Each structure stands twice: as structure tokens, then as C-alpha cells.
Amino acid sequence: MDQLMDISLYIKSRPNIVLLGDDFVGKTSLIYRYINEETSGKCETLRGADLFTKELTINDILFSLKIWEWGHEGLFDTSTSSYRKINCCIFVFDVTYRKSFESLNFWRDKFFLRAEKNPNEFPVALVGTKIDLENEREVSKQEAEDWCKSFSIPYFECSAKDDINVQDVFEAMTAKLAMKCIPKEIRIRNNK
């Protein structure tokens, strides 16, 4: 009971997750599939950015996720203070479109410059979308994994259309955030 009392102090977390990448790489479809279990739906558009919400519980913490999608317009129109409020960044590219992979460094550099976050400590992942179009693939899984190794970040391949690995992306990143939400002394006490 004491453990539940301690954790209940940190039961609600409202992290901001942003998805960044070129237009038409499947960011919106990925989010819709995760939130609505379909690939189309409604969202709230705010000056070049779309905002979605979903609740999920991990490690006894209720997360009310705010999931943002910023395209090129959102990347530049969003204020620096908005960048600082982001708790996790997911870079997205289309495995069937090499240019979207080649622009990942642009997205990464712009985000960390504006967010003023330490890229070695900040929760980040890479997602390759549209793996249901394997015969049209222009970027190999190995190539994407090599890019991720250079930054020590996880890589996921997904298909929003076929609902492959979509849940895994958001749950893995939320689990990383869960470890940051519970103070170290509570984590140690609860693991005894």
C-alpha cells in the first residue's frame, strides 16, 4: 500500500511528444492509427502543427499524451518556448522515399538547436514508415539502423496501413518518459 501511495503522487503526467519529418512520410497516418486504430480522422490544427491526445498507463503512471505533428511550416512557426516544452521527439521518414531519409539530419539539427536540449540525454527515436510497400523500398533497414547507432537511438519500422509496430513506437517512448517521471528514490524503493 505504501508503494501505491508514493507512486500516486506522480500518477498523472502530460508529456509532449513531437513527430518531425518531411511532408507525406506518414506522420499523420501513424498518429491516427495509434490513437484511433485507423489511418484517418480529425485533429486540431494550430499554426502549422497538429495536436492529438491519448491516455495510456505505463508503470502505474497515467500518461495524458499530447502528440504534436510539425511539418516544415510548424518547425519554423513554432516558438522556441514550444520546443522547450517537448519531452520526446520521434523523427519520421518514408522507407520508399530516399530524400525523406536524407533530410533527417536537417530535422534533427533544427530541433535540437531550437529546443536547447542535450541530444545525448533527450528521448528520441527514428521511425521508418510504409514498410507495407517493401517492393518500393529505397532505404534499407540496415542503413536506418546505422544512422540510429551514430546517435544511440532506437529504430522502428512501421506500417500505419497494416498496423505494424505502431503501438510499439509510442509505448516504448512513453516507457522511457515513465522512468523520468518517477523520482529515483521512489524507483529504488519500489524495486526492492
Side-chain angles (χ1 to χ4, degrees), residues 127-145:
V127 172
T129 61
K130 304 183 186 179
I131 61 168
D132 52 287
L133 302 173
E134 186 62 34
N135 60 336
E136 298 176 33
R137 184 185 278 267
E138 293 183 1
V139 180
S140 71
K141 185 174 184 178
Q142 185 62 55
E143 197 173 359
E145 287 174 342

Side-chain angles (χ1 to χ4, degrees), residues 18-37:
V18 67
L19 274 69
L20 294 174
D22 286 355
D23 294 337
F24 308 110
V25 295
K27 298 182 301 288
T28 304
S29 294
L30 196 68
I31 297 169
Y32 282 141
R33 173 60 76 177
Y34 176 62
I35 292 176
N36 304 317
E37 299 180 9

Side-chain angles (χ1 to χ4, degrees), residues 75-179:
L75 181 69
F76 296 107
D77 286 350
T78 307
S79 70
T80 301
S81 65
S82 295
Y83 279 82
R84 290 184 190 136
K85 292 176 185 172
I86 297 299
N87 305 103
C88 174
C89 184
I90 299 173
F91 297 106
V92 183
F93 78 100
D94 174 352
V95 300
T96 70
Y97 187 49
R98 174 159 290 282
K99 184 185 173 303
S100 69
F101 178 73
E102 292 170 349
S103 67
L104 288 173
N105 287 328
F106 162 81
W107 289 103
R108 185 179 182 281
D109 292 347
K110 286 294 181 191
F111 175 75
F112 283 113
L113 178 68
R114 300 279 301 268
E116 298 177 358
K117 309 272 187 191
N118 181 341
N120 298 318
E121 298 173 3
F122 191 77
V124 175
L126 176 65
V127 172
T129 61
K130 304 183 186 179
I131 61 168
D132 52 287
L133 302 173
E134 186 62 34
N135 60 336
E136 298 176 33
R137 184 185 278 267
E138 293 183 1
V139 180
S140 71
K141 185 174 184 178
Q142 185 62 55
E143 197 173 359
E145 287 174 342
D146 289 344
W147 188 86
C148 289
K149 279 181 194 171
S150 66
F151 302 112
S152 300
I153 64 171
Y155 176 58
F156 300 88
E157 289 200 330
C158 298
S159 168
K161 180 183 173 193
D162 292 343
D163 196 15
I164 299 170
N165 297 331
V166 175
Q167 297 283 341
D168 296 346
V169 173
F170 291 96
E171 289 178 8
M173 297 315 290
T174 305
K176 280 190 174 207
L177 292 171
M179 293 310 295

